[in-house]
Amino acid sequence: MPDIAALTVAPTRVVVGVGADAGGLVTYRTSVALAELLGTPPVEFTGDHGGFLGRPEEFAEALRRTLEA
């Protein structure tokens, strides 16, 4: 189990990312649950769980926007 208390007081921002096309996967559901526990919305990235492999340029742009926010 993640240490939610430690993650919420960490000096860095914690971002939970999910694949936009991964809704049926266990990894999607567990990531959404983690984001809820942290009190933040998950950030959707292009593709499925491995979206960075199939659409790397779009994934990179979404990642860049997320990190700049």
Side-chain angles (χ1 to χ4, degrees):
M1 287 292 298
D3 186 341
I4 301 302
L7 292 172
T8 55
V9 298
T12 57
R13 178 174 57 127
V14 177
V15 177
V16 178
V18 295
D21 300 330
L25 299 176
V26 171
T27 52
Y28 183 93
R29 295 191 308 269
T30 57
S31 296
V32 169
L34 174 60
E36 288 175 0
L37 290 172
L38 293 172
T40 61
V43 176
E44 270 195 0
F45 289 92
T46 301
D48 56 14
H49 182 69
F52 57 93
L53 295 171
R55 296 164 70 181
E57 291 176 8
E58 291 160 320
F59 178 86
E61 181 55 35
L63 180 59
R64 190 174 298 109
R65 282 193 311 270
T66 299
L67 295 176
E68 290 174 346

